[in-house]
Amino acid sequence: MDLHDLYGDIVREHSMSGHNLRHLEHPSVVVPGRNPSCGDEIDLELSVEGDRIKDGSFTGVGCAISRASVSIMLDLVRGRTLDEAAELARLFLAMEQREPLTDRQLDALEEAVALKGVSNMPARVKCATMPWHTLLNAVEVARGTD
Ligand SMILES: [Zn+2]
């Protein structure tokens, strides 16, 4: 079974696409995300103006699931407020903890719903959730730098 069969095109494309794998010129916050159980080590960079995420990117290395998850996440939160980003992160983490979400909540997660199936693979859940925990940390840091 390869990733294409398991997770579909969205995850495969994001895991291979490098469009979010870069440094920002002037990041407001840089927060490390680590998942020692797999070896995923990323740094999340956000450019925040006021309470809004103007841009985001990541650097580092990770498995296909973690790379897809962080890339999907960055596309989702770019342009959102810090509050909106934190709420989306909480929704994603609830989904991976197999909590029941409404259709409206799942719709709000957009492409990230493609990672729902990872919740059936306990060994890989941390790969998918690590970027979103890192996002919550980054939101807290960004709020502290106002
Ligand atoms: Zn991983």
Side-chain angles (χ1 to χ4, degrees):
M1 257 192 310
D2 66 16
L3 275 174
H4 181 257
D5 298 328
L6 266 178
Y7 306 112
D9 289 337
I10 292 171
V11 171
R12 190 179 58 123
E13 282 166 19
H14 273 278
S15 72
M16 294 173 70
S17 162
H19 73 284
N20 287 313
L21 178 60
R22 58 193 164 88
H23 280 291
L24 299 182
E25 254 182 68
H26 301 290
S28 312
V29 295
V30 181
V31 175
R34 300 287 182 267
N35 174 24
S37 66
C38 177
D40 308 317
E41 295 191 4
I42 65 158
D43 288 324
L44 184 68
E45 302 188 5
L46 297 180
S47 171
V48 181
E49 284 181 29
D51 68 345
R52 197 166 290 275
I53 298 169
K54 303 295 279 188
D55 200 1
S57 68
F58 76 101
T59 60
V61 294
C63 66
I65 292 174
S66 65
R67 289 201 314 274
S69 187
V70 68
S71 183
I72 289 170
M73 180 187 80
L74 285 165
D75 284 353
L76 185 64
V77 302
R78 190 174 287 116
R80 311 261 188 172
T81 67
L82 295 173
D83 284 347
E84 288 167 347
E87 177 58 24
L88 289 165
R90 282 190 285 270
L91 281 179
F92 184 86
L93 295 173
M95 179 179 77
E96 295 298 347
Q97 285 154 20
R98 310 186 73 167
E99 293 175 21
L101 298 187
T102 66
D103 287 347
R104 194 162 162 230
Q105 288 173 317
L106 290 172
D107 284 348
L109 286 171
E110 298 179 12
E111 289 189 330
V113 170
L115 289 158
K116 191 169 190 283
V118 178
S119 66
N120 298 317
M121 306 168 66
R124 308 311 300 278
V125 167
K126 283 181 184 168
C127 302
T129 58
M130 178 270 282
W132 302 75
H133 285 295
T134 308
L135 174 63
L136 286 175
N137 291 341
V139 165
E140 286 308 307
V141 173
R143 283 186 177 132
T145 57
D146 280 350

